[in-house]
Amino acid sequence: MRCAVIGAGPTGCLAARVLANAGAHVSLIDPALALSGRARPQAGHVHVLPAPLWPRLERLAPGLLSTLADLGVRFGSVGATTLDGEIGGTAVPWPDRARLDAALLDRCRHGLDLHAARVRRCTWDDSRWQVALGDGAELSADLLVDASGVSRVSFRSIAALVGAPIPVDVGPSGGAYASVSLRGLSLPRGRLGHRVQDEATGHRAILLQESQDRWRLTLQLGAGTPLPHTPEALVEILQSFRDRRLQLLVHHATEVGPLATWAAQRPTRAALETLRGLPEGWLPLGDALLTTPPALGQGIAQIVYQVAHLESQHRAGHSVERIRTDLCSAAGQQWMMATFLVGLDAA
Ligand SMILES: Cc1cc2nc3c(=O)[nH]c(=O)nc-3n(C[C@H](O)[C@H](O)[C@H](O)COP(=O)(O)OP(=O)(O)OC[C@H]3O[C@@H](n4cnc5c(N)ncnc54)[C@H](O)[C@@H]3O)c2cc1C
């Protein structure tokens, strides 16, 4: 079987790996493969992933943890937050997104056919996909995996095939993010982080150590709160928390570098179950299928669930159509949870 996977983000890398492990010839296509660092809005943002996720990620991409360590990623724990919000317990990595992507690609790429190009067009001729790339190349595939995130690159082709627009459910707006690097915190030795959730406003704040003398403070704002545009405004939001401990920790800190912000992202779900006549060899995965507000762990958790499902169901000989139907129904559940900003605990 020949597979074309669009997008080399976490979804594309992991899906390409499990399909190649199952004996498929896999082409992984992404213009970002040509870049040494990954150009993403969340590239510098520490990705907080629940502890139960790491053994699953390590199983899908063996050697991931040691590669992250080689890349200088610090280890701490978010799996065992103590009652006072301190982070401690089993060590798991706290990767920024750029290094997580680099490590995933490193652990997944062997034996894959890599194309550093943009997918321009996908056409289906009743049995095979023809995938036209920006560099003029054309690939042919039995299975097209769309892991292009919110770009949803193949959706227009699919809509043309079934003669209907792809329905997308849009949930209520999720929270916005603001993040800044700090220096000059006086934290007890060995304390790697702290997190707080404010029940009244729905805000969450997390402080993670980035290096010897740098910390990253990230706020996820409850729905409807406008983005702060200065570090002072961010600290002002922190002052509204009932729990003042985190505010006290950063009180004398100075910021390093600019404040990074991300506007609230509305969770969307491709509601494909209402469409008839979808081609057998088409599988959207990851953020292409379900975009949720990044509720500190939700995004990658859903990806790991989806890829593990693809792996087990493909091994059991189930059709792509059946796998797609299962994943669409699971995405429906996750979308509901995302609406209320409840993170998935484990995939
Ligand atoms: C600010 C922020 C913070 C977040 N924090 C967390 C967190 O702490 N924990 C967590 O679990 N999740 C978090 N997330 C969510 C997580 O980043 C996403 O769920 C995840 O990136 C989705 O992965 P993906 O591979 O499906 O899509 P993406 O990561 O978006 O990858 C899609 C890939 O497709 C490629 N592509 C696009 N168009 C084309 C084309 N035409 N041809 C070829 N390739 C193409 C892109 O270059 C890209 O590499 C956060 C998101 C944001 C924005």
Side-chain angles (χ1 to χ4, degrees):
M1 180 169 68
R2 292 186 85 91
C3 305
V5 178
I6 312 175
T11 307
C13 285
L14 293 171
R17 186 68 260 137
V18 303
L19 290 167
N21 290 349
H25 176 277
V26 183
S27 301
L28 181 64
I29 315 153
D30 194 321
L33 287 169
L35 308 171
S36 46
R38 312 301 298 277
R40 291 184 195 288
Q42 70 271 43
H45 177 80
V46 175
H47 266 47
V48 184
L49 307 179
L53 212 54
W54 286 104
R56 294 159 208 244
L57 267 169
E58 179 70 18
R59 194 188 61 72
L60 291 170
L64 182 66
L65 293 181
S66 58
T67 306
L68 285 167
D70 291 346
L71 290 172
V73 169
R74 290 184 64 82
F75 281 61
S77 175
V78 289
T81 311
T82 58
L83 277 181
D84 67 357
E86 238 177 280
I87 295 168
T90 324
V92 293
W94 291 337
D96 56 79
R97 180 56 198 276
R99 279 184 288 187
L100 177 62
D101 278 9
L104 276 170
L105 182 62
D106 181 73
R107 300 323 304 160
C108 294
R109 65 183 296 160
H110 53 280
L112 304 180
D113 186 15
L114 299 183
H115 294 266
R118 184 167 293 282
V119 168
R120 293 271 176 232
R121 201 177 52 255
C122 316
T123 45
W124 169 254
D125 67 4
D126 280 338
S127 62
R128 287 180 81 72
W129 287 100
Q130 299 303 328
V131 183
L133 309 187
D135 61 6
E138 185 134 332
L139 304 175
S140 172
D142 310 286
L143 171 63
L144 181 70
V145 174
D146 190 338
S148 64
V150 288
S151 309
R152 295 181 169 140
V153 170
S154 63
F155 278 48
R156 194 181 296 183
S157 314
I158 300 296
L161 276 170
V162 299
I166 304 274
V168 175
D169 287 350
V170 180
S173 181
Y177 269 82
S179 181
V180 69
S181 257
L182 300 172
R183 188 173 280 155
L185 271 74
S186 47
L187 277 154
R189 247 182 110 73
R191 184 155 157 186
L192 299 171
H194 192 94
R195 72 172 169 186
V196 173
Q197 175 155 3
D198 193 56
E199 298 298 342
T201 55
H203 301 330
R204 301 174 189 203
I206 187 153
L207 185 69
L208 292 175
Q209 192 171 11
E210 283 186 317
S211 65
Q212 195 67 22
D213 61 345
R214 276 169 77 128
W215 300 75
R216 181 164 284 271
L217 173 67
T218 302
L219 249 64
Q220 184 190 14
L221 304 170
T225 308
L227 275 171
H229 290 293
T230 59
E232 293 73 34
L234 182 139
V235 172
E236 218 169 276
I237 295 174
L238 205 55
Q239 281 166 352
S240 69
F241 280 55
R242 276 182 70 134
D243 184 331
R244 292 293 172 99
R245 279 170 295 180
L246 212 146
Q247 184 196 331
L248 291 173
L249 283 176
V250 304
H251 190 63
H252 294 296
T254 48
E255 70 267 13
V256 192
L259 178 79
T261 56
W262 297 271
Q265 200 186 350
R266 287 162 83 82
T268 63
R269 176 178 81 96
L272 299 170
E273 61 273 32
T274 57
L275 290 179
R276 297 283 161 267
L278 291 169
E280 157 69 13
W282 178 62
L283 188 63
L285 286 178
D287 273 13
L289 186 61
L290 173 69
T291 306
T292 54
L296 297 181
Q298 197 159 247
I300 310 282
Q302 92 198 356
I303 289 165
V304 168
Y305 162 76
Q306 290 180 6
V307 174
H309 190 78
L310 165 65
E311 183 187 41
S312 66
Q313 300 304 293
H314 185 65
R315 193 183 297 136
H318 293 159
S319 68
V320 172
E321 191 176 7
R322 175 162 166 191
I323 297 170
R324 186 175 60 220
T325 307
D326 290 348
L327 291 179
C328 287
S329 121
Q333 295 293 320
Q334 288 162 7
W335 176 80
M336 288 303 290
M337 293 167 80
T339 300
F340 298 101
L341 290 179
V342 177
L344 293 181
D345 193 27

